[in-house]
Amino acid sequence: MTITINEKIINEFPEIKIRLAEPLSLYTNTKTGGPADIVAFPKTGKQAQALVLFAKENDLPLTVIGNASNLIVQDGGIRGLVMILTELNEIWCEGSKVHATAGASLIETTEVAYRYGLTGLEFAAGIPGSIGGAVFMNAGAYGGEIKDVLANVTVVTPRGELKTYTNEELNFGYRMSRLQAEDDIVLEAVFELATGDKQQIRQRMDELNFLRASKQPLEYPSCGSVFKRPVGHFTGKLIHDAGLQGFTIGGAQVSKKHAGFIVNIGGATATDYLAVIKHIQAVILKEFDVRLETEVRIIGEEK
């Protein structure tokens, strides 16, 4: 009797939660996305490494997802194995260093830093991603970026090897890191912070959270900021000036509150999102001769 790949992975990893034909809309911030053939939720770095090796040995396509906050999964879903790292979520302090595993919430990491009186991560107080995604994309807001505070990161390569990179070795750029080119998977990040005044840290975090809540459409599902900021321009202003706020296809709408966001106002599909993105890009190119590049990652297959 031939054993299927589904049976094989379930038998080989009884300690890992595994789901078959799982809709990824259950896990994305946009509440859209088709099914994945296999979804696995490792709880430790060793489990994640073992899953990477399993995928390699069985020629199984592997996709890794964190908090899925800056991600669009297309409606056809994802073939092969999807590894979701949200259960790999430990955070701890050693002196002025904050350690966080890949699936830990970036927001919760800033709260831990605050509790220990450590300053430097305040800019990330309201960024709704995971540590792995934040390092992978060099997340940033309000004048700060991950590259400003990251000491080093431990990854597993697509070949299943463990590596540690220093900040300098990650070749950080605007929403870029070498991890994107090499498909390395973050397991743990270490942030080098400084001792600060807890009251001032809290005040700055509250200030930024207020700004975010007042300007961003947090009341709707979204994938965060959709486009990279083009040189010499502000994306939101371009979209606003083009009269695109409120533009809607299906359930996906250019936010009336913040033009840089596309929100799910009800029943949106990934196809709706991508159609709105393409329309915005076409209008901005025609009106202002500016090419908008997506910041959000778009993965999976068309339906």
Side-chain angles (χ1 to χ4, degrees), residues 91-94 96-100 109 112-113 118 189-191 193:
I91 308 166
W92 68 99
C93 281
E94 291 178 353
S96 61
K97 290 185 171 67
V98 175
H99 298 247
T109 304
V112 170
L118 297 174
V190 181
F191 301 97
L193 304 178

Side-chain angles (χ1 to χ4, degrees), residues 140-261:
Y142 298 111
E145 292 180 299
I146 289 297
K147 72 176 179 62
D148 301 331
V149 288
L150 187 79
N152 59 71
V153 63
T154 300
V155 305
V156 57
T157 72
R159 297 169 298 283
E161 302 162 339
L162 294 179
K163 287 187 177 180
T164 298
Y165 295 122
T166 64
N167 184 309
E168 294 75 20
E169 291 172 323
L170 285 166
N171 302 332
F172 281 124
Y174 175 59
R175 303 296 174 263
M176 287 290 297
S177 74
R178 74 180 285 176
L179 304 180
Q180 295 175 33
E182 299 180 15
D183 287 331
D184 290 334
I185 301 158
V186 174
L187 295 181
E188 181 188 327
V190 181
F191 301 97
E192 181 65 69
L193 304 178
T195 302
D197 180 276
K198 284 189 73 173
Q199 186 175 347
Q200 290 181 4
I201 295 168
R202 180 80 267 165
Q203 184 178 343
R204 181 60 176 160
M205 289 169 68
D206 290 346
E207 199 176 275
L208 295 183
N209 280 327
F210 173 78
L211 284 173
R212 188 178 295 273
S214 63
K215 292 182 178 179
Q216 296 184 7
L218 304 182
E219 63 274 23
Y220 291 107
S222 81
C223 54
S225 183
V226 176
F227 300 102
K228 295 179 181 178
R229 188 173 72 193
V231 176
H233 299 275
F234 289 100
T235 308
K237 187 175 188 308
L238 289 171
I239 296 170
H240 169 80
D241 290 349
L244 288 171
Q245 281 185 276
F247 176 80
T248 305
I249 294 178
Q253 181 181 85
V254 180
S255 169
K256 297 175 182 178
K257 189 174 184 181
H258 189 309
F261 284 64

